[in-house]
Amino acid sequence: MSEKRCRNNRLVVYPGTFDPITNGHLDIIKRAVKLFGSLIVLVVRHSEKSPLFSLEERIEFIRSATVNCKGIEIDSFDGLLMNYAKEKGIRVIIRGLRAVSDFDYEFQMMQLNRRLYSEVETIFIMPREEYFFLSSSTIKEIVSYGGDVSSFVPKLVVEKLRLKFKRSDVIIK
Ligand code: PNS
């Protein structure tokens, strides 16, 4: 792989549902950009997961949270990730790994993706330990009961979660 291609921001992708983006995801994004220089954050529409937020909302959260970070491009996709990778010439997939509980699913996905497209390498990045326990689903659950998530997600996400769950008691810091 030539140096020019390594610097091409279309080569490294961080896919996810990001429903919504958390500070853990943001930590992974920053680490990946530091490693590779640039990154495509790929928001997968993922209709079978019935996301709480629309694709446009999820993209907006990422855009506003990364507005001051250089080297980040946001894209969206609906379909097989490896088809996207083939089409765009992606060589590296970034996935976050928090705990042993993530491993089974990630290992299976990595193997299947490799079978589908052998040119792609999956690189796992661990977030800071304070984010090990964070997930988009637990964030939604906490807010649905009126809990404080202001140290786990960007402010805009707290505001929108508060509206979605009609929880005026949720703290916005
Ligand atoms: O943030 P998530 O929900 O853990 O991300 C999972 C995601 C979106 C990366 C994965 O479900 C995916 O790649 N979906 C696209 C469809 C696909 O390619 N499925 C086969 C995976 S082996």
Side-chain angles (χ1 to χ4, degrees), residues 4-161:
K4 196 170 168 226
R5 281 182 64 76
C6 283
R7 287 173 192 274
N8 183 329
N9 70 356
R10 296 199 175 275
L11 282 178
V12 185
V13 74
Y14 178 32
T17 311
F18 303 110
D19 184 44
I21 192 156
T22 68
N23 292 344
H25 291 128
L26 288 168
D27 187 70
I28 302 283
I29 290 173
K30 284 173 192 156
R31 285 169 198 277
V33 172
K34 209 169 163 187
L35 264 180
F36 294 101
S38 59
L39 178 76
I40 301 172
V41 181
L42 184 68
V43 187
V44 177
R45 187 180 285 272
H46 229 306
S47 48
E48 65 268 32
K49 267 202 176 174
S50 310
L52 175 69
F53 291 104
S54 70
L55 182 68
E56 293 68 28
E57 286 173 309
R58 287 179 275 148
I59 290 173
E60 183 47 34
F61 297 156
I62 301 170
R63 201 181 304 286
S64 75
T66 58
V67 79
N68 294 321
C69 311
K70 284 205 176 93
I72 294 166
E73 183 185 322
I74 304 166
D75 198 2
S76 64
F77 185 66
D78 198 7
L80 208 53
L81 180 62
M82 288 305 105
N83 287 348
Y84 177 91
K86 281 180 198 167
E87 197 182 300
K88 302 274 178 175
I90 302 293
R91 290 289 178 273
V92 178
I93 304 285
I94 301 291
R95 290 290 290 168
L97 205 55
R98 292 162 302 185
V100 180
S101 52
D102 281 343
F103 185 78
D104 272 354
Y105 172 70
E106 294 299 336
F107 183 67
Q108 189 186 16
M109 196 161 74
M110 180 274 279
Q111 293 288 354
L112 284 169
N113 283 338
R114 189 175 272 175
R115 289 285 173 101
L116 292 170
Y117 187 38
S118 59
E119 295 297 309
V120 152
E121 213 55 71
T122 304
I123 308 270
F124 295 101
I125 296 183
M126 290 191 182
R128 274 167 72 156
E129 59 193 51
E130 65 195 84
Y131 302 134
F132 271 12
F133 58 90
L134 265 191
S135 77
S136 300
S137 5
T138 46
I139 294 294
K140 287 179 276 191
E141 191 176 340
I142 294 169
V143 174
S144 73
Y145 293 112
D148 176 12
V149 293
S150 56
S151 54
F152 307 144
V153 290
K155 194 175 171 190
L156 176 65
V157 174
V158 184
E159 286 167 7
K160 297 291 176 176
L161 279 166

